Amino acid sequence: LLNNLINGAFSIEYNSEEYVIKYTEGDLFELTKKLADSSSKYPLIWLQTGYVVSEGRSKTETVLKGCRIFFITKGSFTDRYKKRFEDTYQNILYPMLSLFRKLINKTKGITITSNWSYTALPLNDVDELNSKEENGKKKTEKVAIGDIWDAIILEIDLTISEGCFPELIIKN
């Protein structure tokens, strides 16, 4: 559903070039495979799996609780934080976040929690993104991504109404 809505729906102009925003969903291993297979990797919106799916009694709404949506572009090994903020955050990541918000607000049937909470950070160690086990300890799997990311991590709940995409409704 989100892939149909977001993937290629908008673009960002940066240094006189237009970049179409790509979308993917999955765990970190799936993301690394997708990036390895892509000729143009960034900018990217990634919904990390691990959210909780909840249905109401009437089953007319599905709520995805605890969504972590990453807005990612390639960072620089040499630029310092101030330059990265002035460059990639101001020109790519914050405009992506704004376009995403506008796109969701235009849809009929998808709403986002009223409180938007996001973290802006350079990601130099993607191993921190691995999900945690039930006891709170980090999993030990390692994932190698050769790029430095500048990213915004949006943490929200998404509510999807049944009539949003009728072609995707599972018939009983």
Side-chain angles (χ1 to χ4, degrees):
L1 174 73
L2 292 174
N3 184 58
N4 290 344
L5 177 66
I6 299 169
N7 199 17
F10 52 90
S11 61
I12 296 287
E13 187 174 319
Y14 176 70
N15 288 339
S16 302
E17 284 192 50
E18 189 171 354
Y19 295 91
V20 176
I21 308 302
K22 290 158 279 311
Y23 171 84
T24 192
E25 178 179 344
D27 62 12
L28 191 53
F29 295 103
E30 180 70 21
L31 177 62
T32 56
K33 290 176 189 174
K34 179 162 179 87
L35 290 174
D37 295 341
S38 299
S39 58
S40 65
K41 300 177 183 184
Y42 308 106
L44 174 71
I45 297 175
W46 167 44
L47 173 58
Q48 184 181 31
T49 52
Y51 48 83
V52 175
V53 179
S54 171
E55 284 186 356
R57 284 190 181 148
S58 64
K59 295 187 180 181
T60 59
E61 290 185 343
T62 301
V63 180
L64 309 180
K65 295 180 180 182
C67 292
R68 293 182 76 199
I69 301 175
F70 290 72
F71 299 80
I72 303 169
T73 192
K74 190 171 181 180
S76 169
F77 284 105
T78 57
D79 288 346
R80 300 187 71 170
Y81 290 132
K82 184 176 191 271
K83 169 108 174 62
R84 289 167 83 173
F85 176 79
E86 291 170 351
D87 191 22
T88 57
Y89 286 88
Q90 293 289 73
N91 294 312
I92 299 173
L93 295 172
Y94 288 126
M96 279 175 63
L97 182 62
S98 176
L99 289 168
F100 173 80
R101 182 178 232 163
K102 287 177 187 174
L103 180 67
I104 294 295
N105 287 339
K106 280 190 216 176
T107 65
K108 293 183 175 142
I110 300 178
T111 55
I112 293 180
T113 51
S114 57
N115 296 329
W116 284 59
S117 173
Y118 65 87
T119 305
L121 73 157
L123 294 170
N124 299 331
D125 182 5
V126 296
D127 195 46
E128 293 176 16
L129 302 178
N130 283 329
S131 58
K132 294 181 179 179
E133 295 174 354
E134 286 182 35
N135 61 7
K137 293 182 180 178
K138 287 187 179 182
K139 291 183 180 179
T140 57
E141 296 95 356
K142 300 287 183 189
V143 177
I145 295 180
D147 296 334
I148 295 285
W149 289 343
D150 285 340
I152 293 174
I153 306 169
L154 177 63
E155 298 190 39
I156 56 171
D157 297 338
L158 283 172
T159 301
I160 302 171
S161 298
E162 184 179 85
C164 179
F165 277 81
E167 67 274 13
L168 299 177
I169 294 174
I170 298 171
K171 307 261 192 281
N172 292 331

